[in-house]
Amino acid sequence: QENQKVKIQSTGKKFREQLKQLVSKLNSTMTHYVRCIKPNDEQVPGTFNGRKINVQFEAMAMLDSISAGQKGFKHRLLHEEFVKVYKTVNG
């Protein structure tokens, strides 16, 4: 039928809508991140492979984070606070 218009959504518009949904979800939660370390390949409780653990720490830049924390750079902002502080950077 000619009177019925087909609504086509551009990729950009779809991306913007999905981004808005993500930001809304982030703003509604108190997000925390958990980093899991696999202590050994055998999956045996209480057994730690120091070399394996160090490789994982290096891959996650964990040693840098720990070092920065020890030097006093422990400041963390909530997502909402981060947006307020750095909103002007994006315009």
Side-chain angles (χ1 to χ4, degrees), residues 36-69:
C36 297
I37 304 297
K38 188 174 178 184
N40 64 66
D41 288 326
E42 295 77 29
Q43 299 181 1
V44 177
T47 303
F48 299 92
N49 178 332
R51 182 172 290 160
K52 180 172 187 59
I53 292 171
N54 278 338
V55 167
Q56 292 173 77
F57 279 161
E58 289 172 7
M60 293 186 298
M62 194 69 164
L63 298 176
D64 293 335
S65 297
I66 292 168
S67 176

Side-chain angles (χ1 to χ4, degrees), residues 68-80:
Q70 288 173 340
K71 292 177 183 172
F73 298 103
K74 295 181 184 182
H75 183 69
R76 293 188 178 129
L77 295 174
L78 297 174
H79 180 262
E80 189 174 276

